[in-house]
Amino acid sequence: MARSILENGPSTAATLADLLGLTPAAVRRHLDTLVADGILEAQEERVYGHRGRGRPAKVFVLTTAGRDAFEQAYDDLAVGALRFLAETGGDDMVLEFARRRIADLEERYRQLLDDVEPGQRAEVLARALSADGYAASAQASPVVDGEQLCQHHCPVAHVAEQFPQLCEAETEAFARLLHTHVQRIATIAHGEGVCTTHIPRSSEDSGPGSASAPVPAQTEARNVSAERIS
């Protein structure tokens, strides 16, 4: 059940029952146990547009302890090494390291995306990220024109919490791969439940005359927007 939330994002008890083929009563028993163990926490579901009568449903999200229960691709050595780079070479040195780290991944993904129609790139990128353990999905944005790329798992979240240059380099790579500017509006490293990247509707989708060069990525996580869209 916790893995389902990891892969699909914050979920209601009813959604989990449908996904897992369990009765609502069985799901709630499991949820109560996971909440008591500190693996999950319940939050009020955000409703876009008109809200009907009654209290909003509760959605269940992974806590930090819950994410720690899944394998994390980081250790004290990585944090120590990046701290050494920051102290000896400054933040720019850490950013350069982050860009080199993401370069191999970007090259692999480019081979998948080069011949894909603009409207399909986000979905193909999400599948590639999922294959690498990011539990990603692409969907239409619920509040603004365009799409949002959601990563429900980040293997380096704890390192990125201290060194946001890792997120910055990844966002830059997404912009190049998708041939458009993108905006990172939420990150797991900053305490959000999902890493969410907004992808505006590409000018390439509108026909001839579009620019070929991508606009630089906007990498600052905006907490106000994040909780509205993620």
Side-chain angles (χ1 to χ4, degrees):
M1 191 168 299
R3 179 166 291 280
S4 176
I5 293 174
L6 173 70
E7 294 177 351
N8 297 293
S11 305
T12 64
T15 298
L16 289 167
D18 289 340
L19 287 172
L20 301 175
L22 299 173
T23 65
V27 167
R28 291 190 181 280
R29 285 197 299 271
H30 285 294
L31 289 173
D32 288 344
T33 299
L34 292 171
V35 169
D37 290 342
I39 302 299
L40 300 179
E41 64 180 357
Q43 297 180 355
E44 184 176 291
E45 183 178 30
R46 297 187 180 279
V47 178
Y48 302 102
H50 177 71
R51 173 179 290 179
R53 292 184 176 182
R55 298 181 61 184
K58 292 290 185 181
V59 294
F60 294 86
V61 302
L62 283 171
T63 63
T64 299
R67 292 189 182 280
D68 286 345
F70 294 93
E71 182 178 359
Q72 301 286 338
Y74 77 97
D75 55 26
D76 291 341
L77 179 61
V79 173
L82 288 174
R83 186 174 294 119
F84 175 78
L85 284 180
E87 291 173 353
T88 58
D91 289 342
D92 288 344
M93 183 69 72
V94 177
L95 180 58
E96 179 60 25
F97 168 83
R99 286 170 172 163
R100 292 194 182 191
R101 173 186 172 274
I102 207 71
D104 289 341
L105 178 145
E106 181 179 350
E107 183 59 30
R108 286 195 292 109
Y109 291 177
R110 189 178 305 283
Q111 297 175 28
L112 300 174
L113 291 166
D114 273 350
D115 297 326
V116 175
E117 292 295 323
Q120 300 299 316
R121 286 175 184 154
E123 177 61 34
V124 173
L125 178 56
R127 290 201 299 266
L129 286 165
S130 292
D132 282 339
Y134 289 86
S137 63
Q139 59 199 48
S141 171
V143 293
V144 290
D145 189 33
E147 294 178 278
Q148 60 183 31
L149 178 69
C150 297
Q151 296 158 263
H152 301 285
H153 180 56
C154 176
V156 294
H158 285 72
V159 180
E161 183 178 355
Q162 299 183 52
F163 298 99
Q165 293 92 335
L166 296 174
C167 299
E168 182 176 348
E170 182 181 78
T171 307
E172 292 173 352
F174 288 171
R176 291 189 293 267
L177 288 166
L178 297 170
H179 299 282
T180 185
H181 75 277
V182 301
Q183 182 179 1
R184 181 63 61 84
I185 56 177
T187 63
I188 294 171
H190 281 83
E192 304 291 341
V194 180
C195 291
T196 306
T197 303
H198 174 62
I199 307 166
R201 186 175 299 280
S202 173
S203 58
E204 296 180 57
D205 293 334
S206 302
S210 61
S212 59
V215 180
Q218 299 180 32
T219 58
E220 180 182 0
R222 303 178 186 274
N223 291 332
V224 173
S225 300
E227 61 180 14
R228 301 291 190 275
I229 298 181
S230 60

